[in-house]
Each structure stands twice: as structure tokens, then as C-alpha cells.
């Protein structure tokens, strides 16, 4: 084995010098990454070469295919053909779309094996949100996933050990080699994991703005176009929505608070921006799989599933199948529940007040997320625990007129209390304008759609 490991691996210099790698070379690289028969420094050199020189579309497709095939590729019953779908978001603040969309799709007859991630830095993770529900188990085997899909239609789980092992190695290495923002590596990571789910269709929510990975529409579009191209080349019908991420999605940020907001949404009382994302992304999947002829019909079907309560029933069934006590699941989904009889509430809550009269022009989602992260709502490195009860709830909407001293944010925190500096940073997230400013048009989140050719 020692001899095998020390064999010189000659494709990094080729990529470093700008050459295109053959299918065989990419396959050999991924194989050695998976088998751990390559030294970390060689893997790091390859990632840096890809980051510097980029890859052709053909190379990216091969890289993604080989990563996908590095572990188990799921297989589904024949009668599910055309019905297995999923969505992926590039991450934002208060991004709770999956918790509403997965059960809505299940209520429309689809199978949604949603393999999600944890939060890192300022972005919250879907798994962390669900784990704020006592008993919710995100670790499920492939057989358990099939069983839940068979009876409920959706599950939200963590990545299994056997799925795309090459990505786990490369993902960790990208962090330490500062190659996280390489487009070929991002595409390989996202699409290989979704490809291993053997999906009929995939919708991507690619976010741009102050609180997103990409700050402007053009760079987000470049990533979305690549993801759509690679996804379709793997045989998954893949489409994307480009959505703005400057503030927050909905009014709540923080794990327990976001779960409550999702349950309220599933009871028909959701905020407009969250419903826009859920119905647009869901509608795109319905259109791509051919169950509706146009997007507006798809959006209406998803909206009806949410407002009519069918999606709420699916969410309750999913909670029970994933380990939540049936009494607790029923209570969370009942109409006039006290959520905090089941979910953890923070020790302290304070309300921040507006410093002047004016109109709410902007709320900086990134600023909110960074402070909440420091207060324990997020993690700085993989494996750290999070405090599910820490978060914030916006009490105002964009365009709303407020008077000085009105409460605009409810902060939920534990000990130690936020510092004066943190409170002042939270206050600086709010921008007030004068009443004379032009009324802002209705705020829509989704700016562009990319459909498969």
C-alpha cells in the first residue's frame, strides 16, 4: 500500500498548466480520493489547479458523474418513475423553504428524498431546524428512506455514509485549501449528491444579494446555468430560480422560531415571500415532470396543497416516521397549539425599538444572521452544536410606516446576554426612510427562471 500511495500522480501538473483532463484521468483521481490512496497534498494541489484554471463543461460533467458513482446510487420502485424530485438551495437567511415544499410535493403525489445539510457560518441548515423538534431523527438508512417515501412521500435526512463518499473528502479539503468558491467544484458537489438520489427532476434555488454566497445577479446566473447544464447532462430534468437574498425569508431567523413559522405557513398563514418561493419552486418541478402544462397551474396546485392542509398532514406523518412522538407531532400541527409546550424557548426575549419615525426601507439579513450566529444560533466549524432557541423575529415589513419607539425586532437569547456592540449592530440592520419616498412596488423574490432546454 505504501508503494501505491507514493506513486507520483501526474495529472495535477497537467491541470495546473491549463490542460484539459481526460475522462480516465478524472476517474482515476476520484477513485484515489475515495480509496484514500492519494496524499492530501496531492488532492489539495489538484483542487487549487482546478480553482486557478477552471474546467471545460465536459470535464465538469465527468467529474460530477465520477463523484456520484463513488458510492451508492439510490434505486426506486418502477412505479415511482417520473415522480422522484428534490430541490437544492445555495443558502440564505431564514431559508426554511424545504420544510414547507417537501410535504407540499408529497401531497401532490411526488416522492421527495430530501438529503439536506447543516448550517455553517451565517446560513442556517435544514437539519438543524428539524432537530429543534424533540425526537426528530435525521439519520435514516436507505431502506428507512424508501419506507418513509412509500408511506408518507417525503423525508428530510442527512447524507448517509454510503452516498458520494468522494464529496465528503473533497468538501473538507476545499475549506482548508480556500477553493470553496470554484464553480466546477461547487457544481460537482451539489449535482453529484442529487444525482445519487436518482431524481426525475431537480429544482435549484440560486440566491444572490447581500446575505447570499453570490452578491450579484450575474455571478449567480453563471452558477445557475452551469448547475442546470450539468444536472440535465446526468439525465435529471434540472431547472433553477434566481432569487434575491438581501433581508430574511419570512420574518423568523433561528431554528425553533423558523420551525414555528413553517408550521404557521402549513396552516395557511405563511408570509408572502416564503409562499412565493415554495409555489414557484414546486410549480417548476410539476411543470418539468409534465404533470401540469404551465407554471401558473403548478403554482396553484402547490398553493392549494399548503393552504388546504394536505401538506400539513404530510409534515405530521413525516415527523412521526422520523421519530417524533405522535402526541407531540399532533399538537404541533393542531390549530391553536402552544408551540413552546414542545419546542424549546430561549431564557430571555427583548424587543428592539425604532430610533425615529419613518418607513422601513431595508433590513440587512446578513447583519442579523452574523449577530445571531455569535449568540449561538449557528456554528463556525463542522461538528459544533447549535442553540435551537436562539433567534429573532421581525415585527415590521418592508414599506411599513413606523413611529419612533415602535418594536421592530424580538430577540430570543440565552446567557450570556448580547453585548452593547451586538445590540447596536442589530439596530444598524434596520434602515428607515422618509414618508415622502416613492412607495416601493410589491416586493417579489424570484427574479429569473432557467428551464431545461
Amino acid at each position: 500500500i505504501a508503494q501505491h500511495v507514493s506513486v507520483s500522480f501526474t495529472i495535477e501538473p497537467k491541470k495546473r498548466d491549463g490542460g484539459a483532463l481526460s475522462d480516465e484521468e478524472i476517474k482515476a483521481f476520484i477513485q484515489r480520493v475515495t480509496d484514500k490512496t492519494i496524499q492530501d497534498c496531492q488532492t489539495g494541489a489538484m483542487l487549487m489547479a482546478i480553482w486557478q484554471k477552471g474546467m471545460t463543461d465536459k470535464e465538469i460533467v465527468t467529474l460530477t458523474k465520477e463523484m456520484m458513482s463513488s458510492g451508492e446510487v439510490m434505486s426506486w420502485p418502477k412505479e415511482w418513475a417520473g415522480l422522484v424530485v428534490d430541490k437544492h438551495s445555495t443558502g440564505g437567511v431564514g431559508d426554511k423553504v424545504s420544510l414547507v415544499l417537501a410535504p407540499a410535493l408529497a401531497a401532490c403525489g411526488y416522492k421527495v428524498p430530501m438529503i439536506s445539510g447543516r448550517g455553517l457560518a451565517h446560513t442556517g441548515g435544514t437539519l438543524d431546524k428539524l432537530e429543534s423538534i424533540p425526537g426528530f431523527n435525521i439519520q435514516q438508512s436507505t431502506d428507512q428512506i424508501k419506507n418513509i417515501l412509500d408511506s408518507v412521500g417525503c423525508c428530510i435526512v442527512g447524507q448517509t455514509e454510503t452516498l458520494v463518499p468522494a464529496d465528503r473528502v473533497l468538501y473538507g479539503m476545499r475549506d482548508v485549501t480556500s477553493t470553496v468558491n470554484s464553480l466546477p467544484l461547487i457544481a460537482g458537489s451539489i449535482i453529484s449528491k442529487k444525482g445519487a438520489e436518482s431524481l426525475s427532476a431537480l429544482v435549484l434555488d440560486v440566491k444572490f444579494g447581500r446575505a447570499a454566497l453570490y452578491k450579484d445577479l450575474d455571478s449567480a446566473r453563471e452558477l445557475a446555468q452551469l448547475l442546470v447544464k450539468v444536472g440535465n447532462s446526468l439525465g435529471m430534468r434540472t431547472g433553477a430560480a434566481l432569487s434575491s437574498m438581501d433581508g430574511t425569508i419570512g420574518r423568523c431567523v433561528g431554528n425553533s422560531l423558523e420551525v414555528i413559522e413553517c408550521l404557521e405557513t402549513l396552516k395557511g398563514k405563511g408570509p408572502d415571500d416564503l409562499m412565493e418561493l415554495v409555489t414557484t419552486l414546486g410549480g417548476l418541478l410539476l411543470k418539468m415532470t409534465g404533470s401540469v402544462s404551465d407554471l401558473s397551474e403548478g403554482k396553484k396546485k402547490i398553493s392549494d396543497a399548503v393552504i388546504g392542509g394536505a401538506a400539513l398532514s404530510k409534515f405530521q406523518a413525516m415527523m412521526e416516521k422520523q421519530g417524533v412522538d405522535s402526541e407531540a407531532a399532533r399538537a404541533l400541527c393542531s390549530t391553536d397549539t402552544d408551540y413552546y409546550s414542545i419546542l424549546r424557548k430561549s431564557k430571555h426575549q427583548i424587543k428592539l425599538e425604532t430610533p425615529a419615525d419613518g418607513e422601513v426601507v431595508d433590513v440587512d439579513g446578513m447583519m442579523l444572521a452574523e449577530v445571531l450566529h455569535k449568540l449561538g444560533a449557528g456554528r463556525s466549524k463542522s461538528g459544533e452544536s447549535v442553540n435551537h432557541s436562539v433567534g429573532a423575529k421581525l415585527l415590521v415589513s418592508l414599506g411599513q410606516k413606523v413611529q419612533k419607539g415602535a418594536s421592530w425586532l424580538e430577540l430570543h437569547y440565552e446567557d450570556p446576554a448580547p453585548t452593547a456592540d451586538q445590540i447596536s449592530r442589530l439596530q444598524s440592520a434596520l434602515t428607515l426612510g422618509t414618508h415622502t419616498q416613492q412607495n416601493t412596488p410589491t416586493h417579489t423574490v424570484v427574479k429569473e427562471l432557467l428551464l431545461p432546454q
Side-chain angles (χ1 to χ4, degrees):
I1 291 173
Q3 281 177 319
H4 185 35
V5 173
S6 64
V7 169
S8 80
F9 199 52
T10 55
I11 61 174
E12 303 107 53
K14 181 177 179 181
K15 176 48 71 183
R16 181 198 64 205
D17 297 338
L21 303 177
S22 69
D23 291 355
E24 290 69 33
E25 287 169 327
I26 293 171
K27 182 175 185 149
F29 171 63
I30 293 299
Q31 184 121 39
R32 293 188 63 179
V33 165
T34 310
D35 297 345
K36 299 188 168 59
T37 54
I38 181 174
Q39 293 171 355
D40 283 354
C41 58
Q42 292 175 302
T43 306
M46 175 64 110
L47 294 178
M48 186 51 77
I50 292 170
W51 180 81
Q52 281 180 322
K53 300 296 180 180
M55 282 183 135
T56 65
D57 287 352
K58 182 176 181 296
E59 284 178 292
I60 297 169
V61 170
T62 304
L63 175 76
T64 307
K65 247 183 207 151
E66 292 303 332
M67 285 172 68
M68 178 184 98
S69 308
S70 68
E72 177 189 14
V73 175
M74 292 178 158
S75 60
W76 309 114
K78 285 197 297 291
E79 54 271 26
W80 294 2
L83 296 176
V84 185
V85 300
D86 199 0
K87 86 102 168 110
H88 175 84
S89 164
T90 55
V93 176
D95 188 353
K96 53 193 75 74
V97 170
S98 295
L99 277 67
V100 181
L101 179 59
L105 288 163
C108 293
Y110 285 85
K111 304 293 181 185
V112 191
M114 195 173 273
I115 295 172
S116 292
R118 297 196 175 279
L120 199 56
H122 78 279
T123 59
T126 299
L127 301 180
D128 297 314
K129 300 182 211 297
L130 287 167
E131 282 184 334
S132 64
I133 304 169
F136 198 103
N137 182 5
I138 55 99
Q139 288 312 140
Q140 304 286 337
S141 69
T142 308
D143 285 342
Q144 288 168 319
I145 289 170
K146 281 183 187 167
N147 178 275
I148 299 168
L149 291 187
D150 191 43
S151 61
V152 181
C154 62
C155 62
I156 304 178
V157 299
Q159 191 176 341
T160 67
E161 284 299 309
T162 52
L163 216 65
V164 198
D167 180 62
R168 259 199 299 279
V169 179
L170 294 179
Y171 198 84
M173 290 288 292
R174 277 165 59 202
D175 212 17
V176 293
T177 53
S178 302
T179 53
V180 171
N181 62 350
S182 156
L183 283 179
L185 298 175
I186 292 171
S189 179
I190 291 172
I191 302 295
S192 65
K193 284 181 285 206
K194 294 302 176 188
E197 292 177 22
S198 299
L199 303 175
S200 312
L202 169 67
V203 70
L204 300 150
D205 181 6
V206 180
K207 299 193 172 297
F208 67 93
R210 199 168 39 210
L213 180 64
Y214 289 92
K215 305 304 173 195
D216 63 281
L217 179 59
D218 288 342
S219 52
R221 189 190 293 114
E222 188 186 354
L223 173 63
Q225 286 168 339
L226 178 62
L227 293 172
V228 166
K229 192 183 288 178
V230 176
N232 283 294
S233 70
L234 258 60
M236 285 183 292
R237 271 161 292 184
T238 306
L242 290 159
S243 64
S244 69
M245 187 70 254
D246 287 320
T248 63
I249 297 168
R251 289 187 164 213
C252 295
V253 184
N255 298 296
S256 290
L257 287 172
E258 289 188 47
V259 167
I260 293 171
E261 188 166 39
C262 287
L263 287 161
E264 285 293 295
T265 303
L266 289 164
K267 293 170 191 179
K269 296 176 280 204
D272 292 347
D273 57 349
L274 177 56
M275 281 301 289
E276 184 196 344
L277 283 165
V278 169
T279 56
T280 304
L281 296 167
L284 272 173
L285 282 170
L286 268 59
K287 184 174 173 357
M288 286 193 290
T289 50
S291 81
V292 296
S293 54
D294 61 47
L295 181 60
S296 60
E297 189 190 346
K299 286 166 85 164
K300 184 174 186 323
K301 268 195 160 172
I302 296 288
S303 176
D304 289 348
V306 175
I307 290 164
L312 180 66
S313 302
K314 290 293 186 185
F315 190 78
Q316 182 178 335
M318 178 180 80
M319 282 196 286
E320 290 181 29
K321 277 284 188 184
Q322 292 193 232
V324 178
D325 173 75
S326 57
E327 278 299 299
R330 197 179 51 74
L332 286 172
C333 294
S334 67
T335 37
D336 48 358
T337 187
D338 169 17
Y339 291 115
Y340 293 116
S341 66
I342 291 153
L343 304 179
R344 177 174 164 188
K345 188 174 191 174
S346 66
K347 277 189 203 162
H348 313 285
Q349 298 88 38
I350 52 166
K351 289 181 176 170
L352 303 193
E353 296 179 350
T354 54
D357 293 355
E359 188 174 297
V360 179
V361 175
D362 187 33
V363 175
D364 184 339
M366 189 71 167
M367 188 73 80
L368 289 184
E370 285 174 346
V371 175
L372 292 172
H373 175 248
K374 291 276 190 297
L375 292 173
R379 60 172 65 79
S380 300
K381 57 177 187 283
S382 185
E384 288 180 346
S385 63
V386 298
N387 188 323
H388 293 117
S389 67
V390 172
K393 183 176 182 180
L394 276 174
L395 307 174
V396 295
S397 310
L398 289 181
Q400 184 178 328
K401 292 180 172 59
V402 292
Q403 292 186 319
K404 182 179 178 179
S407 298
W408 75 273
L409 187 79
E410 182 177 278
L411 181 63
H412 291 233
Y413 64 95
E414 305 257 292
D415 300 321
T419 62
D421 176 60
Q422 286 169 332
I423 294 289
S424 104
R425 291 189 70 203
L426 287 173
Q427 285 288 20
S428 72
L430 175 72
T431 305
L432 297 176
T434 57
H435 292 330
T436 56
Q437 287 180 335
Q438 288 297 303
N439 277 346
T440 42
T442 315
H443 186 65
T444 58
V445 188
V446 178
K447 302 302 178 191
E448 276 180 32
L449 299 176
L450 298 176
L451 284 161
Q453 296 306 310

